[in-house]
Amino acid sequence: MTELIRAFSEPDGLEEIYGIVAVDEEDGELGLAEPSAWEVGAPAEGEWLDAGPNGITLQPSGTGGVYVRYELWSGPPSDPSAHTPAETWTGTVLFTTGRISALTANAAYEDLHTVFDLGRRDAEWNVRVSRRRLGNDAEPDFPRDAGQADLFRLQFWPAVP
């Protein structure tokens, strides 16, 4: 039976997100692992996700906050979009350090957030990413875009060699 091993949700919403990247620590400083997730690039026009070695780039569906949840599973988990409608992508990604973090970046800065440890270096991981948009659908007297946010759930489980 598939079991949830560990999960973590970023406690605060992010104003923006570039994606989820492999991180490494050198001289006490946290930075991007090699090969750099910058080589993955932004999602193509009309797409909301791209993936490659050490990174998954994400495109929020609109304005508002971004929330990220990581889940490490012993095997394939059930699809969360079966209960709450969401866009999903499933694939395999190599993470050289086994440690990942959300990355916010623009021309002026680059910030890494909480590190989530997958527990294994130089490993390929199956990953399912779901993107769900929350909005105001309960209060007709307030703007529809009040309180909007994107929820990204990343579910990881070992790839079979």
Side-chain angles (χ1 to χ4, degrees):
M1 174 173 220
T2 299
E3 293 182 13
L4 178 63
I5 297 168
R6 181 171 48 255
F8 175 78
S9 298
E10 285 286 350
D12 299 314
L14 310 175
E15 289 183 28
E16 58 187 47
I17 190 166
Y18 176 78
I20 306 303
V21 299
V23 295
D24 209 355
E25 198 168 326
E26 186 174 311
D27 299 327
E29 292 290 319
L30 195 60
L32 299 181
E34 292 296 328
S36 171
W38 288 118
E39 295 176 25
V40 175
E45 176 117 9
E47 299 293 325
W48 63 275
L49 179 145
D50 196 10
N54 282 342
I56 301 170
T57 55
L58 301 170
Q59 179 65 50
S61 60
T63 60
V66 174
Y67 292 84
V68 178
R69 177 174 173 82
Y70 308 97
E71 297 177 357
L72 177 60
W73 290 82
S74 61
S78 62
D79 185 349
S81 64
H83 306 290
T84 56
E87 297 173 272
T88 62
W89 174 89
T90 302
T92 303
V93 178
L94 168 72
F95 289 110
T96 56
T97 64
R99 299 173 68 214
I100 58 175
S101 172
L103 170 68
T104 55
N106 63 30
Y109 67 88
E110 181 179 295
D111 284 330
L112 293 166
H113 297 277
T114 306
V115 174
F116 186 77
D117 192 345
L118 294 169
R120 202 166 5 145
R121 297 181 63 86
D122 296 317
E124 286 195 339
W125 292 90
N126 290 313
V127 58
R128 179 185 300 125
V129 182
S130 65
R131 177 180 79 167
R132 184 170 167 240
R133 181 77 174 158
L134 292 181
N136 173 25
D137 61 356
E139 294 291 338
D141 296 333
F142 292 90
R144 180 92 171 110
D145 63 354
Q148 289 189 348
D150 280 294
L151 306 178
F152 288 100
R153 178 185 310 261
L154 293 99
Q155 297 175 307
F156 296 91
W157 66 98
V160 177

